[in-house]
Amino acid sequence: TSITLDAGTDIILDAADNDVILKDTGTEFGRFKNQGGQLQLRSGANQIFLTATNTNAEFNNNVDIDNDLTVDRDTQVTRNLNVDGITTVDSATVDGDLLVTDSAYVMSNLEVGGNVKIGDDKVNITASTGNTQIDGTLEVDGTSGVDGNFRVGSSGQNKFTVTASNGNTSVAGTLGVTGATTLSSTLAVT
């Protein structure tokens, strides 16, 4: 037999023992609990899944979202956050590690206070010094400015070096010139 509660004003459930229990054929499947004047929701066999503290809510375990999630305020994540689809973030601060296992698109500024590692140590940037190590090819389509010394070599051997302080250039191999060459000072050949 169905029971319908239809009130023109509020429906008040007042339990002296702090709990309003929901059952199906005698088996509990949920309850509303008064936890120190705050609402606590429990499911199944009296398992806590959400605790409210004033306007805040704390989930006790995993939260699965099958559709869009829009957050208009700051969000603090103290455990892992796994996202399978596209995530759009207007502003984010990450105090620990940020692990991206697929592509990441940054449409604005990316500020990183710690070291940056890409791939299996293919690109490494050390935050304290700015030293950058790249294992693959670096292609630059625009102007490249180097404020310090510039060297080309492998395994610690300098094959081509430009000293920033005086412009001295050292070439360990053959220097081939296919166009016009202008020398404004002495050319020493040894």
Side-chain angles (χ1 to χ4, degrees), residues 68-121:
D68 295 340
L69 172 65
T70 301
V71 180
D72 293 330
R73 299 288 300 273
D74 293 343
T75 303
Q76 182 178 5
V77 179
T78 57
R79 296 283 301 271
N80 293 336
L81 174 64
N82 297 319
V83 180
D84 290 333
I86 296 173
T87 303
T88 302
V89 180
D90 291 332
S91 178
T93 300
V94 179
D95 291 332
D97 294 336
L98 174 63
L99 175 63
V100 179
T101 57
D102 205 336
S103 300
Y105 302 95
V106 179
M107 303 303 182
S108 188
N109 296 333
L110 174 64
E111 296 182 15
V112 181
N115 298 335
V116 175
K117 174 182 170 182
I118 300 175
D120 188 18
D121 286 331

Side-chain angles (χ1 to χ4, degrees), residues 11-52:
I11 294 176
I12 299 173
L13 302 176
D14 190 349
D17 199 25
N18 295 331
D19 293 357
V20 174
I21 301 172
L22 306 174
K23 290 187 177 183
D24 180 9
T25 319
T27 301
E28 179 179 340
F29 65 88
R31 73 171 58 198
F32 302 93
K33 184 174 186 65
N34 176 4
Q35 186 70 30
Q38 304 293 334
L39 174 64
Q40 188 177 82
L41 300 181
R42 299 184 177 211
S43 67
N46 202 12
Q47 301 293 312
I48 301 170
F49 77 89
L50 184 132
T51 301

Side-chain angles (χ1 to χ4, degrees), residues 138-162:
L138 174 64
E139 295 185 11
V140 180
D141 292 334
T143 302
S144 177
V146 179
D147 292 333
N149 296 338
F150 180 78
R151 72 172 178 82
V152 177
S154 61
S155 302
Q157 298 179 1
N158 296 340
K159 300 299 183 183
F160 179 89
T161 305
V162 179

